[in-house]
Amino acid sequence: MKKIAVIGSTNVDLITYGNRFAKGGETLEAESFCIGNGGKGANQAVAAAKLGSHVLMLSKVGDDQFGEMSLSNYQAQGVDTQFVEKVAGISTGVAPIFVNTETSQNSILIVKGANNCLLPSDIDHAEETLKSVDLIVLQLEVPLETVYHAIDFGQKHGIKVLLNPAPAVAELSLEYACKCDFFVPNETELEILTGKPVSTVDEIKQAASVLFEHGLKNLIVTMGSQGSLWISNEQERLTAPVKVNAIDTSGAGDAFIGCFSHFFTQTGDVQVAIEKASAFAALSVTGKGTQSSYPTAAAFNEFQKNNI
Ligand code: RIB
Protein backbone atom coordinates (compact mmCIF):
# COMPACT_ATOMS: atom_id res chain seq x y z
CA MET A 1 0.00 0.00 0.00
CA LYS A 2 1.20 3.55 -0.77
CA LYS A 3 2.26 5.54 2.28
CA ILE A 4 1.90 9.21 3.17
CA ALA A 5 3.87 11.04 5.87
CA VAL A 6 2.44 14.20 7.35
CA ILE A 7 5.05 16.30 9.16
CA GLY A 8 3.10 18.96 10.98
CA SER A 9 0.86 20.27 13.68
CA THR A 10 -1.55 18.80 16.17
CA ASN A 11 -4.07 21.14 17.85
CA VAL A 12 -7.23 20.91 19.85
CA ASP A 13 -9.93 23.15 18.39
CA LEU A 14 -12.13 25.21 20.74
CA ILE A 15 -14.99 26.19 18.47
CA THR A 16 -17.62 28.83 19.24
CA TYR A 17 -20.64 29.31 16.97
CA GLY A 18 -22.39 32.68 16.92
CA ASN A 19 -23.98 35.19 14.56
CA ARG A 20 -21.32 37.89 14.94
CA PHE A 21 -18.02 38.73 16.60
CA ALA A 22 -17.97 40.61 19.89
CA LYS A 23 -16.69 44.18 19.53
CA GLY A 24 -13.83 45.46 21.69
CA GLY A 25 -15.05 45.76 25.30
CA GLU A 26 -18.32 43.94 24.56
CA THR A 27 -19.56 40.72 26.18
CA LEU A 28 -21.75 38.79 23.78
CA GLU A 29 -23.64 35.55 24.23
CA ALA A 30 -22.85 32.99 21.51
CA GLU A 31 -25.00 30.08 20.34
CA SER A 32 -22.89 26.99 21.05
CA PHE A 33 -19.45 25.57 21.67
CA CYS A 34 -17.57 22.33 21.02
CA ILE A 35 -14.09 20.89 21.43
CA GLY A 36 -12.60 18.89 18.57
CA ASN A 37 -9.39 17.43 17.23
CA GLY A 38 -7.64 19.78 14.81
CA GLY A 39 -4.39 21.26 13.61
CA LYS A 40 -3.68 21.54 9.90
CA GLY A 41 -1.23 18.63 9.92
CA ALA A 42 -3.51 16.39 11.98
CA ASN A 43 -6.55 17.25 9.87
CA GLN A 44 -4.76 16.36 6.66
CA ALA A 45 -3.45 13.11 8.16
CA VAL A 46 -6.89 12.09 9.43
CA ALA A 47 -8.60 12.94 6.12
CA ALA A 48 -6.19 10.67 4.22
CA ALA A 49 -6.43 7.90 6.83
CA LYS A 50 -10.24 7.99 6.75
CA LEU A 51 -10.05 7.32 3.02
CA GLY A 52 -7.83 4.29 3.63
CA SER A 53 -4.26 5.59 3.28
CA HIS A 54 -1.44 4.39 5.52
CA VAL A 55 -0.46 7.68 7.19
CA LEU A 56 2.67 8.19 9.28
CA MET A 57 2.44 11.31 11.47
CA LEU A 58 5.44 13.27 12.76
CA SER A 59 4.18 15.71 15.38
CA LYS A 60 4.56 16.91 18.97
CA VAL A 61 1.90 17.25 21.67
CA GLY A 62 2.10 18.52 25.25
CA ASP A 63 1.95 16.42 28.42
CA ASP A 64 -1.58 17.63 29.17
CA GLN A 65 -5.13 16.35 28.69
CA PHE A 66 -5.21 17.70 25.13
CA GLY A 67 -2.06 15.72 24.32
CA GLU A 68 -3.76 12.52 25.52
CA MET A 69 -6.91 13.42 23.61
CA SER A 70 -4.90 13.98 20.41
CA LEU A 71 -2.96 10.72 20.71
CA SER A 72 -6.14 8.70 21.32
CA ASN A 73 -7.76 10.37 18.34
CA TYR A 74 -4.87 9.53 16.01
CA GLN A 75 -5.05 5.92 17.16
CA ALA A 76 -8.82 5.77 16.71
CA GLN A 77 -8.46 7.13 13.16
CA GLY A 78 -5.76 4.59 12.25
CA VAL A 79 -2.91 7.11 11.94
CA ASP A 80 0.56 5.68 12.72
CA THR A 81 1.72 7.53 15.87
CA GLN A 82 5.18 6.02 16.38
CA PHE A 83 6.65 9.50 15.77
CA VAL A 84 4.05 11.57 17.65
CA GLU A 85 5.87 12.53 20.83
CA LYS A 86 4.79 14.13 24.09
CA VAL A 87 6.88 17.09 25.25
CA ALA A 88 7.09 17.67 29.01
CA GLY A 89 6.14 21.04 30.45
CA ILE A 90 4.44 22.57 27.43
CA SER A 91 0.83 22.73 26.29
CA THR A 92 -0.58 20.95 23.27
CA GLY A 93 -1.34 23.35 20.41
CA VAL A 94 -4.80 24.89 20.67
CA ALA A 95 -6.96 26.83 18.23
CA PRO A 96 -9.82 29.03 19.44
CA ILE A 97 -12.12 29.19 16.39
CA PHE A 98 -15.13 31.43 15.82
CA VAL A 99 -17.67 30.31 13.23
CA ASN A 100 -20.17 32.89 12.02
CA THR A 101 -23.47 31.01 11.72
CA GLU A 102 -24.84 33.63 9.30
CA THR A 103 -22.03 33.31 6.75
CA SER A 104 -20.45 29.92 7.71
CA GLN A 105 -17.04 31.70 7.58
CA ASN A 106 -14.53 31.18 10.36
CA SER A 107 -11.67 32.98 12.03
CA ILE A 108 -8.95 31.05 13.81
CA LEU A 109 -6.29 31.88 16.39
CA ILE A 110 -3.52 29.35 16.96
CA VAL A 111 -1.35 28.87 20.03
CA LYS A 112 1.38 26.59 18.72
CA GLY A 113 2.58 25.16 22.07
CA ALA A 114 4.31 21.81 21.48
CA ASN A 115 4.15 22.26 17.70
CA ASN A 116 7.10 24.64 18.07
CA CYS A 117 9.15 21.69 19.37
CA LEU A 118 9.00 19.66 16.13
CA LEU A 119 12.60 20.05 14.94
CA PRO A 120 14.78 18.94 12.02
CA SER A 121 16.37 16.33 14.33
CA ASP A 122 12.93 14.66 14.63
CA ILE A 123 13.00 14.06 10.88
CA ASP A 124 16.49 12.57 11.13
CA HIS A 125 15.32 10.38 14.01
CA ALA A 126 12.51 8.99 11.80
CA GLU A 127 14.73 8.60 8.71
CA GLU A 128 14.64 4.80 8.34
CA THR A 129 10.82 4.68 8.40
CA LEU A 130 10.27 8.00 6.66
CA LYS A 131 12.37 7.21 3.63
CA SER A 132 9.90 4.49 2.57
CA VAL A 133 6.90 6.83 2.12
CA ASP A 134 5.52 7.92 -1.27
CA LEU A 135 4.53 11.48 -0.38
CA ILE A 136 5.53 13.94 2.36
CA VAL A 137 2.86 16.52 3.26
CA LEU A 138 3.81 19.78 4.99
CA GLN A 139 2.11 22.93 6.30
CA LEU A 140 3.41 25.97 8.23
CA GLU A 141 2.27 25.45 11.83
CA VAL A 142 5.69 24.05 12.83
CA PRO A 143 9.10 25.80 12.66
CA LEU A 144 10.18 26.81 9.13
CA GLU A 145 13.59 25.14 9.62
CA THR A 146 11.71 21.82 10.05
CA VAL A 147 9.71 22.42 6.88
CA TYR A 148 12.91 23.18 4.93
CA HIS A 149 14.62 20.09 6.34
CA ALA A 150 11.64 17.95 5.29
CA ILE A 151 11.83 19.37 1.75
CA ASP A 152 15.56 18.54 1.63
CA PHE A 153 14.80 15.07 3.02
CA GLY A 154 12.24 14.46 0.27
CA GLN A 155 14.70 15.56 -2.41
CA LYS A 156 17.52 13.44 -0.96
CA HIS A 157 15.36 10.30 -0.96
CA GLY A 158 13.42 10.93 -4.18
CA ILE A 159 10.11 11.32 -2.33
CA LYS A 160 7.47 13.70 -3.69
CA VAL A 161 6.70 16.66 -1.38
CA LEU A 162 3.47 18.68 -1.08
CA LEU A 163 3.59 22.01 0.77
CA ASN A 164 0.38 23.67 1.90
CA PRO A 165 1.65 27.13 2.96
CA ALA A 166 -0.94 27.59 5.68
CA PRO A 167 -1.11 29.73 7.64
CA ALA A 168 0.80 32.03 5.29
CA VAL A 169 4.17 33.08 6.70
CA ALA A 170 5.69 36.02 4.82
CA GLU A 171 9.24 34.80 5.62
CA LEU A 172 8.70 31.50 3.77
CA SER A 173 11.59 31.06 1.31
CA LEU A 174 10.13 30.83 -2.19
CA GLU A 175 13.33 29.01 -3.22
CA TYR A 176 12.40 26.21 -0.82
CA ALA A 177 8.68 26.32 -1.54
CA CYS A 178 9.34 25.94 -5.25
CA LYS A 179 11.47 22.83 -4.75
CA CYS A 180 8.28 20.99 -3.75
CA ASP A 181 6.42 18.85 -6.29
CA PHE A 182 3.11 20.42 -5.28
CA PHE A 183 2.54 23.86 -3.76
CA VAL A 184 -1.08 24.21 -2.63
CA PRO A 185 -2.09 27.63 -1.23
CA ASN A 186 -5.52 29.26 -1.13
CA GLU A 187 -5.86 32.67 -2.85
CA THR A 188 -5.11 34.64 0.33
CA GLU A 189 -1.94 32.67 1.00
CA LEU A 190 -0.85 33.12 -2.61
CA GLU A 191 -1.38 36.89 -2.29
CA ILE A 192 0.66 37.13 0.92
CA LEU A 193 3.49 34.98 -0.43
CA THR A 194 3.83 36.64 -3.84
CA GLY A 195 2.76 40.19 -2.92
CA LYS A 196 0.45 40.17 -5.97
CA PRO A 197 -3.34 40.73 -6.12
CA VAL A 198 -5.50 37.61 -6.61
CA SER A 199 -9.08 38.85 -7.06
CA THR A 200 -9.58 37.20 -10.47
CA VAL A 201 -8.36 34.03 -12.14
CA ASP A 202 -6.18 36.18 -14.43
CA GLU A 203 -4.60 37.86 -11.40
CA ILE A 204 -4.02 34.45 -9.81
CA LYS A 205 -2.21 33.36 -12.99
CA GLN A 206 -0.04 36.50 -12.84
CA ALA A 207 0.80 35.81 -9.19
CA ALA A 208 1.58 32.19 -10.10
CA SER A 209 4.17 33.31 -12.64
CA VAL A 210 6.33 34.54 -9.73
CA LEU A 211 6.49 30.96 -8.44
CA PHE A 212 7.21 29.41 -11.84
CA GLU A 213 10.13 31.84 -12.20
CA HIS A 214 11.51 30.10 -9.09
CA GLY A 215 11.20 26.66 -10.75
CA LEU A 216 7.89 25.44 -9.32
CA LYS A 217 6.46 22.28 -10.96
CA ASN A 218 2.81 22.27 -9.88
CA LEU A 219 0.68 24.98 -8.28
CA ILE A 220 -2.83 24.13 -7.10
CA VAL A 221 -4.73 27.19 -5.85
CA THR A 222 -7.84 26.38 -3.82
CA MET A 223 -10.49 29.07 -4.24
CA GLY A 224 -13.30 27.90 -1.93
CA SER A 225 -16.68 28.19 -3.62
CA GLN A 226 -14.90 29.15 -6.90
CA GLY A 227 -13.25 25.73 -7.25
CA SER A 228 -9.52 25.28 -7.83
CA LEU A 229 -6.86 26.07 -10.41
CA TRP A 230 -3.99 23.69 -11.24
CA ILE A 231 -1.08 25.23 -13.15
CA SER A 232 2.00 23.32 -14.30
CA ASN A 233 4.58 24.06 -16.98
CA GLU A 234 2.47 22.12 -19.47
CA GLN A 235 -1.08 23.31 -18.77
CA GLU A 236 -3.64 25.30 -16.73
CA ARG A 237 -6.82 23.62 -15.56
CA LEU A 238 -9.78 25.07 -13.67
CA THR A 239 -11.87 22.60 -11.68
CA ALA A 240 -15.43 23.71 -10.91
CA PRO A 241 -16.60 23.56 -7.29
CA VAL A 242 -19.05 20.94 -6.06
CA LYS A 243 -22.08 22.96 -4.90
CA VAL A 244 -23.35 22.32 -1.36
CA ASN A 245 -25.02 24.26 1.45
CA ALA A 246 -22.08 25.22 3.65
CA ILE A 247 -22.58 25.43 7.39
CA ASP A 248 -18.98 25.45 8.65
CA THR A 249 -15.93 25.85 6.39
CA SER A 250 -13.34 25.20 9.15
CA GLY A 251 -10.80 22.60 8.04
CA ALA A 252 -12.08 22.43 4.44
CA GLY A 253 -8.65 23.30 3.03
CA ASP A 254 -7.14 20.46 5.06
CA ALA A 255 -9.85 18.07 3.84
CA PHE A 256 -8.82 18.99 0.28
CA ILE A 257 -5.11 18.34 0.95
CA GLY A 258 -5.67 15.04 2.80
CA CYS A 259 -7.99 13.72 0.11
CA PHE A 260 -5.72 14.93 -2.72
CA SER A 261 -2.77 13.16 -1.06
CA HIS A 262 -4.75 9.93 -0.76
CA PHE A 263 -5.92 9.83 -4.36
CA PHE A 264 -2.67 11.15 -5.83
CA THR A 265 -0.64 8.42 -4.13
CA GLN A 266 -3.22 5.79 -5.08
CA THR A 267 -3.64 6.77 -8.76
CA GLY A 268 -0.70 9.04 -9.71
CA ASP A 269 -3.32 11.17 -11.53
CA VAL A 270 -3.27 14.82 -10.41
CA GLN A 271 -6.57 15.85 -12.04
CA VAL A 272 -8.46 12.86 -10.61
CA ALA A 273 -7.02 13.67 -7.17
CA ILE A 274 -8.12 17.34 -7.49
CA GLU A 275 -11.67 16.37 -8.45
CA LYS A 276 -11.95 13.92 -5.55
CA ALA A 277 -10.46 16.52 -3.17
CA SER A 278 -12.97 19.17 -4.31
CA ALA A 279 -15.85 16.81 -3.59
CA PHE A 280 -14.44 15.69 -0.24
CA ALA A 281 -13.85 19.30 0.90
CA ALA A 282 -17.36 20.27 -0.27
CA LEU A 283 -18.91 17.46 1.75
CA SER A 284 -16.86 18.50 4.79
CA VAL A 285 -18.36 22.01 4.87
CA THR A 286 -21.85 20.54 5.30
CA GLY A 287 -20.85 19.31 8.78
CA LYS A 288 -19.68 21.11 11.92
CA GLY A 289 -16.07 21.22 13.11
CA THR A 290 -12.84 20.29 11.38
CA GLN A 291 -12.00 16.56 11.55
CA SER A 292 -15.49 15.83 12.88
CA SER A 293 -16.89 16.96 9.51
CA TYR A 294 -14.72 14.61 7.41
CA PRO A 295 -16.73 11.75 5.89
CA THR A 296 -15.77 8.11 6.01
CA ALA A 297 -14.78 6.48 2.71
CA ALA A 298 -18.26 4.90 2.53
CA ALA A 299 -20.08 8.21 3.10
CA PHE A 300 -17.81 9.89 0.55
CA ASN A 301 -18.57 7.21 -2.06
CA GLU A 302 -22.29 7.66 -1.47
CA PHE A 303 -21.97 11.46 -1.84
CA GLN A 304 -20.07 11.09 -5.12
CA LYS A 305 -22.74 8.78 -6.57
CA ASN A 306 -25.30 11.53 -6.07
CA ASN A 307 -23.20 14.61 -6.84
CA ILE A 308 -20.64 13.91 -9.58
O1 RIB B 1 -7.32 24.53 9.01
C1 RIB B 1 -8.09 24.41 10.17
C2 RIB B 1 -7.17 24.21 11.35
O2 RIB B 1 -6.40 25.38 11.53
C3 RIB B 1 -7.88 24.00 12.65
O3 RIB B 1 -8.12 22.65 12.92
C4 RIB B 1 -6.97 24.67 13.66
O4 RIB B 1 -6.45 23.80 14.60
C5 RIB B 1 -5.89 25.37 12.84
O5 RIB B 1 -4.73 24.66 12.81
Side-chain angles (χ1 to χ4, degrees):
M1 187 201 278
K2 300 285 185 188
K3 283 193 207 154
I4 297 168
V6 178
I7 302 177
S9 58
T10 303
N11 291 338
V12 167
D13 292 342
L14 312 170
I15 312 178
T16 301
Y17 295 88
N19 60 7
R20 69 168 175 88
F21 291 105
K23 296 179 192 143
E26 180 188 25
T27 300
L28 179 69
E29 185 178 344
E31 292 165 21
S32 59
F33 171 79
C34 67
I35 297 185
N37 292 99
K40 295 184 192 302
N43 294 347
Q44 294 170 16
V46 165
K50 280 189 125 168
L51 290 166
S53 275
H54 181 132
V55 183
L56 179 72
M57 186 76 201
L58 267 71
S59 194
K60 294 277 169 96
V61 297
D63 62 344
D64 52 12
Q65 276 185 326
F66 287 164
E68 279 299 328
M69 173 180 160
S70 303
L71 273 169
S72 314
N73 175 59
Y74 279 130
Q75 282 149 10
Q77 303 293 346
V79 174
D80 184 337
T81 55
Q82 60 179 304
F83 298 110
V84 181
E85 284 175 24
K86 264 192 196 172
V87 187
I90 193 159
S91 71
T92 299
V94 291
I97 299 179
F98 176 78
V99 178
N100 185 319
T101 50
E102 300 283 305
T103 64
S104 78
Q105 296 301 312
N106 61 73
S107 55
I108 303 178
L109 289 173
I110 53 168
V111 181
K112 288 187 179 172
N115 292 307
N116 272 329
C117 302
L118 189 70
L119 299 177
S121 54
D122 295 305
I123 294 175
D124 296 337
H125 173 63
E127 178 164 9
E128 276 313 300
T129 310
L130 192 56
K131 70 186 186 189
S132 70
V133 306
D134 301 282
L135 179 69
I136 291 175
V137 179
L138 305 165
Q139 324 73 31
L140 300 181
E141 288 183 331
V142 297
L144 273 181
E145 56 179 336
T146 307
V147 172
Y148 297 156
H149 196 64
I151 294 169
D152 287 337
F153 183 95
Q155 289 216 313
K156 176 177 163 197
H157 293 284
I159 303 167
K160 289 208 177 331
V161 177
L162 181 157
L163 173 59
N164 168 223
V169 174
E171 310 83 68
L172 176 72
S173 152
L174 290 188
E175 261 65 43
Y176 260 102
C178 293
K179 286 188 200 179
C180 296
D181 298 275
F182 297 100
F183 187 63
V184 192
N186 63 22
E187 315 100 300
T188 314
E189 289 148 3
L190 183 66
E191 181 173 26
I192 294 170
L193 295 169
T194 62
K196 303 274 185 197
V198 294
S199 334
T200 63
V201 169
D202 279 341
E203 284 186 353
I204 290 177
K205 289 179 187 171
Q206 289 289 322
S209 62
V210 174
L211 301 172
F212 285 94
E213 280 159 19
H214 284 82
L216 185 64
K217 299 179 199 85
N218 290 286
L219 173 70
I220 301 169
V221 185
T222 55
M223 304 182 295
S225 58
Q226 306 302 308
S228 63
L229 177 65
W230 169 32
I231 307 179
S232 69
N233 284 317
E234 292 79 42
Q235 50 88 64
E236 291 172 1
R237 200 151 168 182
L238 202 55
T239 300
V242 175
K243 300 275 185 207
V244 289
N245 284 328
I247 62 164
D248 181 356
T249 58
S250 320
D254 302 326
F256 183 99
I257 303 278
C259 181
F260 174 87
S261 301
H262 170 76
F263 283 102
F264 174 70
T265 50
Q266 294 302 312
T267 67
D269 186 325
V270 177
Q271 183 57 29
V272 165
I274 290 174
E275 285 164 16
K276 297 278 188 189
S278 302
F280 190 84
L283 183 52
S284 81
V285 305
T286 64
K288 281 189 166 183
T290 51
Q291 291 174 34
S292 54
S293 70
Y294 297 170
T296 58
F300 182 47
N301 287 338
E302 197 55 35
F303 176 73
Q304 290 181 99
K305 273 190 221 155
N306 301 324
N307 289 277
I308 290 182

